[in-house]
Amino acid sequence: MKPTAAVCAATMALLPAFGWAADSYAQAQASFIFNGARITIAPGNPQAGMYAARFAALPPVCEPACLSTGPAAKDVETVDEAAVLAFLVEVVGQNDGLMVDARMPQGRAAGFIPGSVSLPHETVAADNRYRDEILKALGVRVFEDLYNFSDAQALVVFDAGPTQNDAQKLIGNLLAAGYPPQKIRYYRGGMQVWSVLGLTIQEDMS
């Protein structure tokens, strides 16, 4: 038995002793249709080390170095990688929601989660005159100063990771516009954790 297999087998054997069930684990992969193309996400990215170093090198948003807190806002659920993969398959793949990258374009150019869309946090700031058009693209019905969010898309929002705050800014701007917190989830791990896990990363902006 290979060492990695032995470790895995030993871990599974110890789960009951720690009160963990084997079904608390999820497959670290996903396959779904996005914009008419098949997207596959899996571990074992051969460039994982390069991406992990790239995202780890990002300067933190505050000094001294700090980390974003777990909840981004009240009633906004914080989700892990398994929930993100499930969301991509079950929601994005069915055209019922969006995986949203809150970074500015230069940040997204460093690599992003396949199947995600770019929605920089500044685009839904209150002082952006095009904010209503952005909200309409998210399924919000806008009439003059009235907003109806009943058909608004379900969203999972992410950014570069725990040392950054673009996702919190976007979530704050969405909530300020009236977006229901129950329709927003926050992937705190972002690209920093995603890359360390060796999951698929896309860099082609086309």
Side-chain angles (χ1 to χ4, degrees), residues 36-174:
R38 170 68 63 181
I39 301 291
T40 300
I41 295 174
N45 186 341
Q47 295 181 302
M50 180 270 289
Y51 281 116
R54 176 182 295 179
F55 293 117
L58 292 173
V61 295
C62 60
E63 294 295 342
C66 57
L67 298 174
S68 62
T69 58
K74 182 180 179 181
D75 297 326
V76 173
E77 180 184 2
T78 301
V79 297
D80 59 16
E81 292 73 30
V84 168
L85 293 171
F87 181 84
L88 287 168
V89 173
E90 299 167 9
V91 181
V92 173
Q94 301 301 316
N95 295 318
D96 291 329
L98 294 170
M99 185 79 193
V100 173
D101 189 341
R103 295 172 294 169
M104 299 301 287
Q106 62 270 28
R108 183 171 171 83
F112 54 91
I113 296 173
S116 65
V117 298
S118 177
L119 185 63
H121 58 85
E122 292 183 357
T123 61
V124 288
D127 58 357
N128 181 10
R129 61 177 178 169
Y130 300 108
R131 183 181 71 165
D132 285 359
E133 298 306 314
I134 299 295
L135 292 174
K136 288 179 183 178
L138 296 176
V140 181
R141 283 178 280 173
V142 180
F143 180 72
E144 295 182 349
D145 293 329
L146 300 176
Y147 300 83
N148 186 324
F149 292 88
S150 59
D151 295 326
Q153 296 263 25
L155 308 176
V156 170
V157 180
F158 74 99
D159 57 18
T163 67
Q164 308 298 303
N165 64 356
D166 295 317
Q168 291 96 322
K169 288 180 180 179
L170 176 58
I171 290 171
N173 288 339
L174 287 167

Side-chain angles (χ1 to χ4, degrees), residues 175-198:
L175 294 174
Y179 217 94
Q182 296 80 10
K183 293 196 173 191
I184 305 173
R185 300 176 197 173
Y186 168 46
Y187 173 41
R188 178 176 177 270
M191 300 309 302
Q192 289 171 335
V193 175
W194 190 269
S195 59
V196 168
L197 292 175

